[in-house]
Amino acid sequence: MSSPVWGRGLWISLFQDRAVQNLLERNPENALEWLAYAQALDDQNPTTKILFARAYRKSRDVEQAYSVLMKYYELAGSTEEYLQEQWLLKAQIGDNADLQKHLSELLIKDQADMQDICETYVNSCILNYQFNDALKILELWEADFPEDPLPNFMRGKIYEHERALQDAIKEFQKTLDKDRTYAPAAYSLARIQLTLKKTEAAMKYYQTTLANTKFKSPAKVGLARCYRLLNQNQKAKQLLLEVLEKDVKELQKEYQVMGEPKFLANSAAHLEMGTLELTAKNYEAALKWLEPAAKANPRDLGIKNALAIVYSRLGRKQEAKELSQTIKETNNALAEIQDLLDQMRKEPPNPELRFQIGKAYLKYISEEQGIVWLNSVLRSLPHHRGTHIELARYYEQNRARGESFERLAKIHREKANALTKKTENSPVKSDQK
């Protein structure tokens, strides 16, 4: 007769194997469910912990991934698996220095994880505007896994970043040629078609997206926009109401799955609903949607533009004037960022360019992207005073958001003060501000 412990071990291994298979199939949600079964049988199993860390990372829950990785460390110490997952987790939020250093040995050593490693590294390169490095890895990845649609999808994202829309369209179409159910590619094609003002083509791809994913909200918002542009406002409103019923955290996950920044989830449906009412000249109704959208996503230029029009139509001239000034500053910042990014193509490691881009992103466009750019400065110049000042100010202003913000505020303020004191005592003044 088998012992209960031996039988339990078999079940744990079975659940772990199912989780691994789901991770290989890029289905971290199902992997988490299998790992929950394994954990119920033994909550101190190191293999379950490291797989949990990987599943949370792949589902973009960085805080949970970090927390469970620390629990693994307490159980197993600094193993090779721990170090690899730590490098991948850091790369997930834009710090790919360690992963880059060990990339060659990892790709040679660990064919089982090669696609995960490549995906994480390429995503991190995109965050850091290291497009040439990303394209090289994508070429190797596609050569080893020619049937995998993801290299084409990620190449399409890079081309879209570089505003090479026709090249992006070709790569997203190749993605669908390999896997016609790959919803993020259809969604990306729909978004580009809307940019090109091809509403009917966009509708087709949004409908393809809806048919092939359970994460439907981003495509519903996009399709609602198409209906609005075609003067089918009731159909648009119905779709938006379905999205607005959802919890914002669930929406954030859906937008990330589609390859979008999660902050769009905070306001996309509100903005589209407000635009519907604005188009119908229902200015008070539009205001009820646009003001919460502006609060949820204060850096969104589309919201600012719509809100400025509403304020003007309602006779709120001072608010319209102030917002118009902000819009002008944001457009100037966007133009400046584009000039700096163009320079980055010629000299990607330049920390001063990265500092200026990070400041502009943080103030006008995206907190998340701004933080990535500023942290990239510190990887090459850890004593860059201006960067520590910007980060200290940001984290101090957002202390209420959690302990990590409080901790980072203290770290960067102490470094900024020390560097300022050192600069004041130095006979040669630094120009880092």
Side-chain angles (χ1 to χ4, degrees):
M1 183 181 292
S2 62
S3 72
V5 172
W6 184 75
R8 184 178 64 177
L10 278 180
W11 280 110
I12 291 171
S13 295
L14 173 64
F15 296 146
Q16 290 170 344
D17 289 345
R18 293 287 176 86
V20 169
Q21 186 58 39
N22 275 278
L23 288 171
L24 290 172
E25 293 169 358
R26 302 191 179 107
N27 194 338
E29 290 77 19
N30 281 2
L32 288 168
E33 291 180 9
W34 287 112
L35 292 170
Y37 294 138
Q39 183 166 263
L41 294 174
D42 180 3
D43 66 356
Q44 299 298 306
N45 185 290
T47 301
T48 301
K49 296 295 184 192
I50 198 75
L51 290 173
F52 256 126
R54 188 179 306 170
Y56 280 127
R57 170 175 57 80
K58 290 179 74 66
S59 63
R60 301 173 180 84
D61 191 339
V62 174
E63 289 187 11
Q64 282 281 12
Y66 177 79
S67 175
V68 76
L69 186 60
M70 292 304 99
K71 290 175 183 175
Y72 171 86
Y73 178 79
E74 292 170 7
L75 293 169
S78 185
T79 64
E80 287 187 13
E81 290 84 357
Y82 168 79
L83 291 172
Q84 177 174 316
E85 192 56 43
Q86 186 182 53
W87 300 334
L88 290 167
L89 184 57
K90 288 172 69 177
Q92 183 90 9
I93 57 175
D95 181 359
N96 62 14
D98 286 334
L99 183 57
Q100 194 170 41
K101 189 187 304 181
H102 298 279
L103 188 63
S104 297
E105 64 188 76
L106 287 176
L107 295 179
I108 293 170
K109 173 181 74 72
D110 206 339
Q111 286 292 312
D113 289 340
M114 179 178 175
Q115 288 160 288
D116 181 25
I117 293 166
C118 288
E119 179 182 353
T120 306
Y121 179 69
V122 171
N123 270 326
S124 187
C125 285
I126 292 173
L127 278 174
N128 284 285
Y129 215 75
Q130 298 167 331
F131 292 156
N132 289 335
D133 291 342
L135 289 169
K136 289 174 186 175
I137 293 299
L138 287 172
E139 188 176 342
L140 296 172
W141 179 1
E142 189 173 17
D144 282 345
F145 299 90
E147 301 304 314
D148 190 344
L150 195 53
N152 297 100
F153 176 72
M154 299 184 85
R155 194 179 289 118
K157 296 290 286 184
I158 290 172
Y159 290 150
E160 191 177 359
H161 271 289
E162 294 190 307
R163 296 171 291 166
L165 295 186
Q166 294 305 319
D167 290 332
I169 288 171
K170 289 177 185 177
E171 290 299 327
F172 291 138
Q173 191 57 60
K174 286 179 183 177
T175 308
L176 291 179
D177 291 342
K178 291 181 179 181
D179 181 359
R180 61 185 178 82
T181 68
Y182 198 86
Y187 175 84
S188 296
L189 283 166
R191 186 185 56 245
I192 290 176
Q193 295 300 330
L194 265 183
T195 300
L196 297 173
K197 299 184 179 180
K198 297 180 179 180
T199 306
E200 288 82 2
M203 286 183 72
K204 182 186 77 170
Y205 286 118
Y206 279 131
Q207 287 161 347
T208 300
T209 306
L210 290 171
N212 291 293
T213 184
K214 62 181 180 180
F215 303 107
K216 299 180 184 294
S217 298
K220 284 184 177 181
V221 174
L223 189 56
R225 184 181 175 193
C226 293
Y227 282 136
R228 172 174 60 79
L229 293 171
L230 296 171
N231 296 315
Q232 299 180 38
N233 291 355
Q234 279 307 117
K235 288 184 178 180
K237 190 169 289 189
Q238 180 56 45
L239 285 171
L240 294 171
L241 289 172
E242 291 172 12
V243 174
L244 289 162
E245 289 178 357
K246 292 207 166 189
D247 176 73
V248 69
K249 287 190 176 179
E250 187 178 349
L251 288 175
Q252 288 175 349
K253 180 178 180 180
E254 293 194 27
Y255 272 85
Q256 286 183 306
V257 168
M258 288 298 121
E260 296 276 35
K262 69 179 183 181
F263 63 78
L264 283 181
N266 301 347
S267 59
H270 287 79
L271 170 58
E272 190 55 43
M273 190 69 90
T275 305
L276 265 176
E277 299 292 1
L278 174 58
T279 304
K281 300 183 179 180
N282 299 326
Y283 302 123
E284 290 288 356
L287 196 64
K288 290 178 181 178
W289 292 108
L290 293 172
E291 286 189 329
K295 185 176 180 181
N297 194 357
R299 289 168 177 76
D300 189 286
L301 190 58
I303 298 171
K304 291 187 177 80
N305 281 318
L307 201 50
I309 294 170
V310 171
Y311 284 148
S312 179
R313 297 294 187 273
L314 291 173
R316 294 165 62 169
K317 301 299 183 183
Q318 185 59 35
E319 289 162 295
K321 182 179 179 180
E322 290 173 1
L323 199 50
S324 295
Q325 181 59 36
T326 302
I327 291 167
K328 182 180 178 181
E329 290 175 8
T330 303
N331 281 321
N332 289 340
L334 282 167
E336 180 188 358
I337 286 171
Q338 194 55 59
D339 288 343
L340 292 168
L341 290 174
D342 289 341
Q343 292 181 54
M344 281 284 295
R345 289 190 180 91
K346 302 172 185 175
E347 41 182 332
N350 188 314
E352 285 302 324
L353 285 177
R354 290 180 171 273
F355 175 58
Q356 296 300 328
I357 292 169
K359 281 203 304 181
Y361 263 113
L362 191 62
K363 184 173 181 180
Y364 293 104
I365 314 299
S366 162
E367 289 183 358
E368 187 176 85
Q369 195 66 34
I371 295 301
V372 170
W373 281 100
L374 290 173
N375 280 325
S376 76
V377 176
L378 296 179
R379 286 197 290 278
S380 58
L381 285 179
H383 302 301
H384 192 280
R385 183 168 65 96
T387 300
H388 285 297
I389 290 171
E390 289 295 325
L391 289 171
R393 184 182 298 127
Y394 168 74
Y395 286 115
E396 285 166 355
Q397 290 171 350
N398 291 277
R399 275 194 171 109
R401 290 165 66 173
E403 289 182 8
S404 61
F405 283 79
E406 182 74 37
R407 177 175 58 82
L408 289 167
K410 183 179 179 182
I411 289 171
H412 288 293
R413 180 54 65 194
E414 287 176 352
K415 289 183 177 179
N417 289 342
L419 289 166
T420 298
K421 185 176 181 180
K422 183 177 179 181
T423 301
E424 290 170 350
N425 293 334
S426 171
V428 180
K429 302 294 183 183
S430 169
D431 62 354
Q432 291 177 7
K433 296 180 180 179

